[in-house]
PDB file of all heavy atoms in Angstrom:
ATOM      1  N   GLU Q  42     112.105 110.067 101.363  1.00 96.00           N
ATOM      2  CA  GLU Q  42     111.935 108.705 100.806  1.00 96.00           C
ATOM      3  C   GLU Q  42     110.678 108.539 100.029  1.00 96.00           C
ATOM      4  O   GLU Q  42     110.648 107.985  98.990  1.00 96.00           O
ATOM      5  CB  GLU Q  42     112.129 107.684 101.877  1.00 96.00           C
ATOM      6  CG  GLU Q  42     112.075 106.221 101.383  1.00 96.00           C
ATOM      7  CD  GLU Q  42     112.314 105.276 102.524  1.00 96.00           C
ATOM      8  OE1 GLU Q  42     112.898 105.567 103.538  1.00 96.00           O
ATOM      9  OE2 GLU Q  42     111.856 104.108 102.457  1.00 96.00           O
ATOM     10  N   ILE Q  43     109.535 109.053 100.664  1.00 95.00           N
ATOM     11  CA  ILE Q  43     108.269 108.929  99.914  1.00 95.00           C
ATOM     12  C   ILE Q  43     108.136 109.999  98.908  1.00 95.00           C
ATOM     13  O   ILE Q  43     107.341 109.788  97.935  1.00 95.00           O
ATOM     14  CB  ILE Q  43     107.041 108.782 100.968  1.00 95.00           C
ATOM     15  CG1 ILE Q  43     106.933 109.982 101.815  1.00 95.00           C
ATOM     16  CG2 ILE Q  43     107.063 107.464 101.748  1.00 95.00           C
ATOM     17  CD1 ILE Q  43     105.554 110.071 102.624  1.00 95.00           C
ATOM     18  N   ALA Q  44     108.676 111.142  99.085  1.00 96.00           N
ATOM     19  CA  ALA Q  44     108.596 112.154  98.080  1.00 96.00           C
ATOM     20  C   ALA Q  44     109.138 111.723  96.808  1.00 96.00           C
ATOM     21  O   ALA Q  44     108.632 111.806  95.681  1.00 96.00           O
ATOM     22  CB  ALA Q  44     109.355 113.410  98.503  1.00 96.00           C
ATOM     23  N   LEU Q  45     110.341 110.974  96.872  1.00 95.00           N
ATOM     24  CA  LEU Q  45     111.004 110.531  95.772  1.00 95.00           C
ATOM     25  C   LEU Q  45     110.442 109.078  95.260  1.00 95.00           C
ATOM     26  O   LEU Q  45     110.476 108.904  93.967  1.00 95.00           O
ATOM     27  CB  LEU Q  45     112.541 110.402  95.992  1.00 95.00           C
ATOM     28  CG  LEU Q  45     113.274 111.727  96.292  1.00 95.00           C
ATOM     29  CD1 LEU Q  45     114.700 111.403  96.627  1.00 95.00           C
ATOM     30  CD2 LEU Q  45     113.188 112.618  95.045  1.00 95.00           C
ATOM     31  N   GLY Q  46     110.122 108.343  96.136  1.00 95.00           N
ATOM     32  CA  GLY Q  46     109.728 106.882  95.709  1.00 95.00           C
ATOM     33  C   GLY Q  46     108.233 106.580  95.809  1.00 95.00           C
ATOM     34  O   GLY Q  46     107.873 105.563  95.501  1.00 95.00           O
ATOM     35  N   GLY Q  47     107.387 107.643  96.360  1.00 94.00           N
ATOM     36  CA  GLY Q  47     106.019 107.392  96.473  1.00 94.00           C
ATOM     37  C   GLY Q  47     105.756 106.622  97.751  1.00 94.00           C
ATOM     38  O   GLY Q  47     106.646 106.136  98.436  1.00 94.00           O
ATOM     39  N   PRO Q  48     104.458 106.488  98.121  1.00 94.00           N
ATOM     40  CA  PRO Q  48     104.073 105.709  99.279  1.00 94.00           C
ATOM     41  C   PRO Q  48     104.512 104.285  99.250  1.00 94.00           C
ATOM     42  O   PRO Q  48     104.509 103.746  98.158  1.00 94.00           O
ATOM     43  CB  PRO Q  48     102.576 105.988  99.386  1.00 94.00           C
ATOM     44  CG  PRO Q  48     102.133 106.222  98.037  1.00 94.00           C
ATOM     45  CD  PRO Q  48     103.294 106.933  97.314  1.00 94.00           C
ATOM     46  N   ASN Q  49     104.866 103.721 100.410  1.00 92.00           N
ATOM     47  CA  ASN Q  49     105.040 102.303 100.482  1.00 92.00           C
ATOM     48  C   ASN Q  49     104.026 101.565 101.251  1.00 92.00           C
ATOM     49  O   ASN Q  49     103.088 102.117 101.712  1.00 92.00           O
ATOM     50  CB  ASN Q  49     106.555 102.051 100.916  1.00 92.00           C
ATOM     51  CG  ASN Q  49     106.727 102.561 102.354  1.00 92.00           C
ATOM     52  OD1 ASN Q  49     105.826 102.145 103.291  1.00 92.00           O
ATOM     53  ND2 ASN Q  49     107.778 103.327 102.641  1.00 92.00           N
ATOM     54  N   GLY Q  50     104.191 100.278 101.445  1.00 90.00           N
ATOM     55  CA  GLY Q  50     103.212  99.472 102.086  1.00 90.00           C
ATOM     56  C   GLY Q  50     103.033  99.889 103.559  1.00 90.00           C
ATOM     57  O   GLY Q  50     101.913  99.650 104.190  1.00 90.00           O
ATOM     58  N   ASP Q  51     104.012 100.564 104.163  1.00 94.00           N
ATOM     59  CA  ASP Q  51     103.838 101.023 105.638  1.00 94.00           C
ATOM     60  C   ASP Q  51     103.342 102.509 105.663  1.00 94.00           C
ATOM     61  O   ASP Q  51     103.116 102.989 106.807  1.00 94.00           O
ATOM     62  CB  ASP Q  51     105.166 100.917 106.377  1.00 94.00           C
ATOM     63  CG  ASP Q  51     105.533  99.418 106.451  1.00 94.00           C
ATOM     64  OD1 ASP Q  51     104.653  98.620 106.668  1.00 94.00           O
ATOM     65  OD2 ASP Q  51     106.726  99.098 106.511  1.00 94.00           O
ATOM     66  N   THR Q  52     103.280 103.244 104.563  1.00 94.00           N
ATOM     67  CA  THR Q  52     102.837 104.622 104.531  1.00 94.00           C
ATOM     68  C   THR Q  52     101.320 104.654 104.787  1.00 94.00           C
ATOM     69  O   THR Q  52     100.608 103.820 104.211  1.00 94.00           O
ATOM     70  CB  THR Q  52     103.121 105.282 103.269  1.00 94.00           C
ATOM     71  OG1 THR Q  52     104.525 105.232 103.004  1.00 94.00           O
ATOM     72  CG2 THR Q  52     102.707 106.721 103.299  1.00 94.00           C
ATOM     73  N   MET Q  53     100.776 105.456 105.753  1.00 94.00           N
ATOM     74  CA  MET Q  53      99.382 105.584 106.018  1.00 94.00           C
ATOM     75  C   MET Q  53      98.891 106.967 105.583  1.00 94.00           C
ATOM     76  O   MET Q  53      99.455 107.957 106.121  1.00 94.00           O
ATOM     77  CB  MET Q  53      99.011 105.281 107.417  1.00 94.00           C
ATOM     78  CG  MET Q  53      99.323 103.865 107.817  1.00 94.00           C
ATOM     79  SD  MET Q  53      98.884 103.577 109.476  1.00 94.00           S
ATOM     80  CE  MET Q  53      97.095 103.291 109.361  1.00 94.00           C
TER      81      MET Q  53
END
Side-chain angles (χ1 to χ4, degrees):
E42 184 177 334
I43 61 171
L45 297 174
N49 62 50
D51 293 326
T52 303
M53 295 182 79

